[in-house]
Amino acid sequence: MVLLLLAGCDAPGVYRPARPAGGGPFTFYVSPEGDDRNDGMSSEKPWRSLDHANTVHFRPGDRLRLKGGERFRGSVTLEEGEAGSSTQPVVIESYGVGRATIVPRGASGITVHNTAGVEIRNVSLVGDHKALREGVGIAFRNSLLGTRRLDHVRITNVEARGFQNGISVGTEEGAVAGYSDVRITDASVHDNLEAGLVFYGPRFEAARPAYAHDDLRIEGVRAYSNTGDPQSDQRNTGSGIVLGSVRNATVVRSVAHDNGSKSAAAAEEGPEGIWVYDSTRVVLENNTSYHNRTGSRVDGGGFGLDNNVSHSVMQYNLAYGNDGPGFLVYSGQPTGAHRNNIVRFNMSWDDARKLPEYGGIVAYGSRLKNLDVYHNTVVMRTEGLASVEAAGNRPPALRLQDGMADVRVHNNIFATDGGPLVESSSAYSPDSLRLQGNDYFSTGDWSLWWGARRFTTLDGWRAASRQEKLEGDPTGSAEDPCLRGLAAPISDLAGAENLVPDCENGVPVGLGPQAMGVDLGPFDYFGNRLPTTLTVGAVQPRTADRGAL
């Protein structure tokens, strides 16, 4: 195969050297030992620079291969009219041993603009000082008008660090459609300024939500030490994984930790480990989010379903040691779009370390409707609280705020070492918010705040609130669920096994699915099938001796 030396114009005003003779697709090689005068068609005759590789107009099935273990200054950009398809994608990858590293000059590492059918794998991207504020490790951008999403994105086995965002997928101003059929797997996004992995789209309109992106799967992503911007007090920065304007998405077996440590102290919005907003039909499952921070007085939690989220589920997740809540369900906009969500079979251990105004599980917001919270295990202790304020005003296991309707809280374990088990700003009636079949246990003084009243016994609260009753009969308990996590040293926070019940006489039995009126799903926290008789909490008895996923 020979490289033609003639140049040509493939569109008015766009000048590029001609592609190699023949129909293609072609594989191009780049190595620091190469020469840009080579044809670049083999590992024996590679090109030398990314600048030269960028002169190629990529077509379906083409590959750009960078020598593993080597560093390449510059960036790679694919524009409209380039790239491939789901059956013949353009591939950017390493060859040989190890990952190739792309080191851009104050810019993004790989940019895909107004096109798709692209797969990026087995490469590292490292930003410099300028890229930390102005670049993205891997950026997919759609500014095309219309409603057609660009199809097929694959990002796997990559690292992105030292950028404003590690990986971002979004729409530019004026566009409403983004990307579909997106898979991001085994990625490490860390030490970035604003976020590790982020999806975003147009402003949410309740009457006609656009949902820029559709059909996403995020698996095995590690998002950590994304610090946040201390100079940005007008918006949140410092999150691990953020999904905005998405439909039909799953985040699974991913980890977010130690994010948000430098987020702005004056910010009105804070970071979270893994969270969702302006989206529908999202599942967060089998993930871990811990030691996430906030520089301000808001957020800093493990997981969140934020503004305008509907028909979504948080399940089988573990949160611990976060500044804010383990699991947050929040609506701050009166759109009525936050509805029909589920929080089930999760574990929260020692969250709200910095901010006592939160708790292990927190639900509140304007017109938040139809929420189910069941079979979660929450442990809150004084040990290890990050501030004297938090220790003096202990965060509760469950916090409920004003403005909600059709909320059901069933079969959870709420356990503390003397702090409040539940704090509700309103004395909700069972018609709008119902608690049934939960276990409320404290190793210290038993306390529960319901509106303006404080209760010191389950019986007293039940009688006054009409909560924890089913057809007139009492439900719920204050029995010891036998959790090691109530007494485990703070250094042992990482183990989900600390929240497994270990009672000789058994764990309190919860309500059955028919009484709860919900579809429980097939599994408990550890991924084993549910028994016929359900106990409270995220772990069922027959799975208590088995390891976590």
Side-chain angles (χ1 to χ4, degrees), residues 110-129:
I110 299 175
T111 300
V112 181
H113 183 228
N114 289 349
T115 189
V118 176
E119 300 187 0
I120 301 168
R121 52 188 182 231
N122 196 32
V123 295
S124 293
L125 305 107
V126 179
D128 58 14
H129 181 73

Side-chain angles (χ1 to χ4, degrees), residues 59-367:
R59 298 296 190 191
D62 285 350
R63 291 174 180 256
L64 177 63
R65 311 191 74 193
L66 312 179
K67 187 173 182 180
E70 303 290 349
R71 293 171 69 87
F72 297 86
R73 296 289 295 178
S75 304
V76 177
T77 300
L78 300 176
E79 291 285 355
E80 184 178 356
E82 294 188 85
S85 64
S86 59
T87 56
Q88 284 191 302
V90 167
V91 178
I92 301 172
E93 63 184 352
S94 300
Y95 73 94
V97 179
R99 287 178 179 161
T101 299
I102 296 175
V103 186
R105 306 177 183 93
S108 297
I110 299 175
T111 300
V112 181
H113 183 228
N114 289 349
T115 189
V118 176
E119 300 187 0
I120 301 168
R121 52 188 182 231
N122 196 32
V123 295
S124 293
L125 305 107
V126 179
D128 58 14
H129 181 73
K130 186 178 181 182
L132 189 65
R133 289 201 168 272
E134 300 182 10
V136 177
I138 299 174
F140 280 77
R141 300 281 184 272
N142 188 359
S143 61
L144 299 174
L145 300 180
T147 59
R148 185 180 69 85
R149 297 181 181 89
L150 299 172
D151 184 64
H152 191 82
V153 173
R154 298 290 185 271
I155 302 173
T156 186
N157 193 27
V158 304
E159 176 193 27
R161 58 184 172 91
F163 297 93
Q164 184 181 37
N165 294 295
I167 299 172
S168 70
V169 182
T171 61
E172 296 182 353
E173 187 174 355
V176 296
Y179 291 85
S180 63
D181 184 25
V182 179
R183 305 290 182 267
I184 301 176
T185 59
D186 299 321
S188 176
V189 283
H190 63 95
D191 293 283
N192 300 290
L193 183 64
E194 294 199 358
L197 167 63
V198 58
F199 284 77
Y200 63 93
R203 184 178 180 86
F204 185 85
E205 296 183 13
R208 294 184 302 171
Y211 303 126
H213 315 289
D214 186 30
D215 186 15
L216 282 59
R217 185 174 179 87
I218 315 300
E219 183 170 3
V221 170
R222 300 169 300 283
Y224 61 93
S225 300
N226 300 290
T227 61
D229 184 357
Q231 301 177 26
S232 179
D233 59 6
Q234 300 300 309
R235 55 198 177 89
N236 66 75
T237 66
S239 292
I241 299 173
V242 185
L243 271 60
S245 195
V246 306
R247 181 178 66 190
N248 299 318
T250 300
V251 180
V252 61
R253 285 184 284 279
S254 295
V255 179
H257 67 87
D258 295 283
N259 299 291
S261 62
K262 296 182 180 179
S263 57
E268 296 183 359
E269 299 179 1
E272 302 277 354
I274 302 174
W275 63 286
V276 184
Y277 72 97
D278 292 356
S279 297
T280 190
R281 303 192 185 282
V282 178
V283 177
L284 308 180
E285 65 180 10
N286 300 124
N287 305 294
T288 303
S289 189
Y290 64 94
H291 293 170
N292 294 292
R293 306 298 180 217
T294 178
S296 70
R297 299 296 308 174
V298 291
D299 299 316
F303 299 87
L305 301 182
D306 212 289
N307 287 317
N308 305 315
V309 173
S310 62
H311 303 283
S312 295
V313 182
M314 294 191 289
Q315 60 185 9
Y316 319 130
N317 302 291
L318 171 65
Y320 63 89
N322 296 290
D323 277 1
F327 298 88
L328 174 68
V329 183
Y330 167 72
S331 173
Q333 298 178 3
T335 59
H338 203 298
R339 62 186 187 276
N340 303 325
N341 297 308
I342 297 172
V343 181
R344 66 185 182 189
F345 292 101
N346 302 287
M347 294 185 176
S348 167
W349 189 14
D350 285 355
D351 287 306
R353 297 290 85 191
K354 176 183 176 181
L355 304 178
E357 53 266 42
Y358 288 117
I361 295 178
V362 178
Y364 70 104
S366 175
R367 296 180 66 184

Side-chain angles (χ1 to χ4, degrees), residues 487-498:
I490 204 76
S491 58
D492 292 349
L493 271 174
E497 66 276 6
N498 288 316

Side-chain angles (χ1 to χ4, degrees), residues 349-350 379 381 383 417 443 483-490 492 498:
W349 189 14
D350 285 355
V379 172
R381 303 180 303 165
E383 181 185 2
D417 63 354
T443 59
L483 305 176
R484 179 177 175 270
L486 276 168
I490 204 76
D492 292 349
N498 288 316

